[in-house]
Amino acid sequence: MTEREPPTPNPSPKMREGLQGPNPVFAKSKRGESDQGNWARRLGEALRYGALTIVLILFMVPVYGAIVTAFKTQAEVSAGGYWTIPRSFASENFARVMDPDAGNLGLYLGNSLLLTIPASLLSIGLGTLAGYGLGKYRFRGDGLLFVFIVAGMFLPPQIALIPVFRLMNDIGLYDTLWAVIIIHTAFGIPICTLVMRNFFQVVPNALREAALIDGANEYSIFLRIMLPLTLPALAVLATLQFTWIWNDFLWPFILTQRAESRTIMVGILNLTGQYTVDWGGQAAASLIGSLPTLFIFIFFQRYFIKGLTLGAVKG
Amino acid sequence: MLRRHPWILPASFLLLPLLVYFTFVILPTLNSLYYSFTDWVGYGTDYQFIGLANFEKIFSDRLFSNAIRNTAIWLGLAMTVPTLLGLALALGLQGKRTINTVYKSLFYLPICLSPVIIGIIWVWLYSPKLGIVNLFLRGLGLDQLATAWLANPNTALFAVFIAWAWQQTGLNMVIFLAGLTSVPAPLVEAAKVDGANTWQTLRKVIIPMLRPSTVVVLALTAINSLKSFEIIWVMTRGGPFNKSDTLAVFMYSESFRKFKMGYGSSAAVILFAMTLIIIFLYFRQTARADELYD
């Protein structure tokens, strides 16, 4: 799965060129029919993009609403101008939700970073180790072990909720970010192992054997030769894990309580409880909470999409 | 050339990840099974092993059968609406034209948002007075259709579902688009040369070729549906009158609101069993697809 897929030419543009392009031979041979075909095709295109555009506009309404509301004053929202373009582009909503004495989102953003970065790195690290062990070595029961690990991808979190809640209480980590870091690390192992194992499987063995002949040991091969090759796979996993862990609500909701260990998503939901009618504040908080994953979406979309389909298709 | 290795080598790579995975994923899963046979209340160690009593009770619990019914409605909608819409978008937007790339990106966008934020945004959309859904209906003169979507017991579940589908559609489109790249262009062209119209090509060539992606989409949709909790919790907390209470929400409320952790565990076990059935069906389907295409 990690090999790049051969670029498959898309049939429709090609055929469209054939029919519409300045190709007199083609046009002549069809004798007038092509004109009709041309029209039918253009009409089809227009209808297709018309329909797609309508769906897209409907699709973007929620996003538009969140953006315009975030920049409106309370008065402007209550005046009923919820869906109009903001008149003033006020930044007071952002200031209010970030203010330590009001929304206090700064603290929760920091907490979420303190949770998401280590948990992503740890799950990717452990997944890389397991993926290497399963992708480059043959041993009795390796296939079974692989299935056993990957099966974890499908587990609904609900099945582990109560025991993990109790375990974290028992070992004294309840209501700390550590509890959430540990659980996201562990639940990230299946997808990371899957991606890395598939990646290592297609790395040519000749590389490893040449290094063995040169006298390198297995661990220096892993560190010096294999790891540098894994960068694209690591980028895929980094975007995926960061997005999931950042956006997750259930685990921090169950495992933390105090404001000091509250993550951004739990914080934002709390905010909506406190300021039920403060749509501007809620919208500003939603935008702030989405910025890191939007950043990944904009700049690393290729990796993110690759990760989504890898996990999906192989899973 | 791969040969068998002494176990110590792979073990040195696998030990640490396996230890973490076992301790924090597998052990808790097994523990849930154990708690489902107890009457634990969430604190202390004073609880009894009560055999199948939780399961006997749950199957006569009206809140549970209500949750199962809502989950079934949700699953039925989830398997069809976002699947078909995702497929349609993928078919309409395949290819590398600039406009397609831009449209695709915008349809992906909801995937990177947290369900919490999606829930919050959609709550405003459904707001009875200022929400755009009702503004739109009133604008069309359909005032009688405007309602408090999330507070109306007849519409709450569907309203939450649409917000959820908003995200799931983009994900399905991504998977179908990946599947479409493996449909050989010559095959499609051959069908057209043979005189098949667009609809026939779609029915007889493209959709059968997309079977593996369809299986993935349906399995993922079902699994995501069963475990989705956040968006429902944010939008309705399962209300009004438990009308949007699904199995995942029921499990949470029983365990962490009513502190019936043993009872909640039995709900979690049932949820888990349903997931296992889907995974089983999924692997059987993919095995069949492999036979077809290998």
Side-chain angles (χ1 to χ4, degrees):
Chain A
M1 276 319 294
T2 25
E3 306 126 304
R4 190 155 301 141
E5 269 150 322
T8 326
N10 176 22
S12 48
K14 220 189 209 171
M15 299 200 56
R16 209 177 306 117
E17 249 170 65
L19 285 166
Q20 298 180 339
N23 187 341
V25 180
F26 198 89
K28 222 178 262 172
S29 71
K30 280 268 183 172
R31 268 186 309 167
E33 273 173 39
S34 82
D35 237 28
Q36 242 178 357
N38 215 340
W39 269 108
R41 189 155 280 276
R42 281 201 186 166
L43 187 66
E45 287 270 285
L47 283 175
R48 177 156 71 107
Y49 282 102
L52 284 167
T53 306
I54 291 169
V55 177
L56 183 69
I57 289 170
L58 289 175
F59 227 78
M60 286 296 114
V61 164
V63 176
Y64 166 82
I67 293 171
V68 293
T69 310
F71 292 99
K72 280 180 197 167
T73 60
Q74 190 68 39
E76 203 180 339
V77 175
S78 337
Y82 180 42
W83 300 98
T84 52
I85 306 259
R87 265 170 296 161
S88 47
F89 279 98
S91 61
E92 57 170 59
N93 292 324
F94 294 92
R96 190 169 61 254
V97 294
M98 292 298 282
D99 182 354
D101 296 321
N104 205 8
L105 282 195
L107 174 67
Y108 311 146
L109 278 172
N111 283 342
S112 268
L113 281 175
L114 282 176
L115 150 71
T116 309
I117 293 173
S120 305
L121 292 177
L122 284 169
S123 59
I124 294 170
L126 291 174
T128 306
L129 286 175
Y132 191 74
L134 288 165
K136 272 282 163 266
Y137 298 112
R138 290 276 74 91
F139 55 94
R140 185 189 286 266
D142 52 357
L144 208 63
L145 191 60
F146 177 64
V147 171
F148 173 72
I149 295 178
V150 170
M153 262 171 54
F154 299 109
L155 283 182
Q158 282 84 5
I159 191 68
L161 227 45
I162 291 171
V164 167
F165 169 74
R166 175 161 197 197
L167 179 67
M168 292 304 173
N169 269 301
D170 287 352
I171 59 179
L173 291 181
Y174 175 73
D175 204 11
T176 66
L177 285 174
W178 284 111
V180 195
I181 291 174
I182 290 173
I183 216 64
H184 272 303
T185 301
F187 273 79
I189 288 175
I191 176 81
C192 295
T193 305
L194 170 79
V195 170
M196 296 313 289
R197 181 256 200 184
N198 290 345
F199 182 86
F200 284 124
Q201 265 188 340
V202 297
V203 173
N205 269 304
L207 271 179
R208 186 168 148 264
E209 270 150 29
L212 276 177
I213 291 166
D214 288 346
N217 76 34
E218 298 277 354
Y219 302 103
S220 64
I221 292 175
F222 172 69
L223 287 173
R224 302 244 178 88
I225 299 175
M226 296 296 181
L227 270 190
L229 288 174
T230 60
L231 274 175
L234 294 181
V236 166
L237 284 176
T239 57
L240 217 55
Q241 286 298 92
F242 188 95
T243 305
W244 281 346
I245 299 171
W246 182 271
N247 283 343
D248 181 53
F249 169 79
L250 184 55
W251 283 114
F253 183 53
I254 296 290
L255 295 176
T256 62
Q257 211 165 24
R258 292 167 307 149
E260 291 78 66
S261 48
R262 194 171 288 157
T263 64
I264 185 76
M265 291 310 154
V266 180
I268 290 176
L269 188 62
N270 267 19
L271 202 79
T272 63
Q274 286 163 25
Y275 305 92
T276 31
V277 289
D278 180 6
W279 286 6
Q282 292 181 20
S286 299
L287 284 193
I288 292 172
S290 304
L291 279 183
T293 52
L294 282 174
F295 178 83
I296 287 182
F297 171 79
I298 293 166
F299 294 103
F300 300 99
Q301 191 178 108
R302 203 160 59 88
Y303 295 108
F304 183 64
I305 299 293
K306 184 116 201 157
L308 281 181
T309 45
L310 269 177
V313 173
K314 262 291 173 177
Chain B
M1 187 194 72
L2 285 172
R3 57 188 158 76
R4 275 176 188 270
H5 295 276
W7 62 272
I8 188 80
L9 258 181
S12 63
F13 285 100
L14 281 159
L15 202 63
L16 192 60
L18 274 180
L19 191 73
V20 175
Y21 178 64
F22 190 79
T23 314
F24 296 102
V25 179
I26 300 302
L27 221 56
T29 301
L30 298 174
N31 249 329
S32 267
L33 287 174
Y34 170 72
Y35 286 138
S36 72
F37 299 118
T38 71
D39 59 0
W40 191 44
V41 290
Y43 42 84
T45 47
D46 182 28
Y47 55 87
Q48 308 290 318
F49 187 81
I50 53 170
L52 289 171
N54 282 331
F55 290 95
E56 278 165 25
K57 197 171 125 202
I58 209 168
F59 284 113
S60 54
D61 184 338
R62 291 179 69 176
L63 278 180
F64 175 75
S65 48
N66 168 65
I68 289 284
R69 189 167 49 242
N70 290 335
T71 307
I73 295 172
W74 185 289
L75 269 173
L77 289 170
M79 303 296 262
T80 46
V81 179
T83 308
L84 292 174
L85 196 53
L87 176 64
L89 290 178
L91 289 170
L93 290 171
Q94 59 171 321
K96 293 211 190 301
R97 271 186 173 187
T98 316
I99 183 171
N100 291 6
T101 314
V102 173
Y103 274 40
K104 270 186 269 189
S105 290
L106 291 169
F107 282 117
Y108 296 145
L109 186 93
I111 305 178
C112 73
L113 300 179
S114 169
V116 172
I117 285 167
I118 294 179
I120 292 172
I121 297 178
W122 280 80
V123 167
W124 316 325
L125 287 156
Y126 289 128
S127 159
K129 282 217 181 91
L130 294 175
I132 198 155
V133 176
N134 282 351
L135 287 182
F136 184 72
L137 289 172
R138 290 199 194 98
L140 289 177
L142 298 165
D143 295 54
Q144 70 278 16
L145 286 182
T147 176
W149 297 95
L150 296 170
N152 181 337
N154 296 320
T155 56
L157 182 65
F158 302 97
V160 178
F161 169 77
I162 289 170
W164 178 85
W166 184 61
Q167 186 175 42
Q168 187 71 26
T169 299
L171 181 62
N172 293 348
M173 180 189 73
V174 173
I175 298 169
F176 280 125
L177 278 167
L180 279 171
T181 60
S182 65
V183 176
L187 199 67
V188 179
E189 282 174 46
K192 298 222 161 148
V193 169
D194 287 345
N197 62 32
T198 311
W199 176 243
Q200 286 166 328
T201 317
L202 191 65
R203 278 283 315 273
K204 304 282 180 191
V205 181
I206 296 176
I207 290 185
M209 291 294 290
L210 279 180
R211 192 193 152 96
S213 312
T214 313
V215 171
V216 171
V217 164
L218 291 177
L220 269 187
T221 303
I223 290 170
N224 282 347
S225 300
L226 284 177
K227 70 181 179 194
S228 61
F229 161 79
E230 282 122 319
I231 199 162
I232 305 173
W233 189 254
V234 170
M235 292 180 75
T236 63
R237 303 241 187 321
F241 313 115
N242 300 306
K243 280 290 182 184
S244 59
D245 199 12
T246 62
L247 198 46
V249 177
F250 173 83
M251 184 267 156
Y252 172 80
S253 321
E254 295 296 315
S255 313
F256 292 94
R257 297 274 127 174
K258 304 180 187 166
F259 287 101
K260 295 193 276 181
M261 295 253 176
Y263 193 56
S265 292
S266 62
V269 167
I270 291 167
L271 183 74
F272 177 58
M274 291 167 73
T275 312
L276 281 184
I277 294 171
I278 294 160
I279 295 170
F280 172 75
L281 291 174
Y282 168 61
F283 276 116
R284 225 181 52 175
Q285 288 296 314
T286 45
R288 199 178 293 164
D290 283 347
E291 278 164 34
L292 276 174
Y293 295 110
D294 273 358

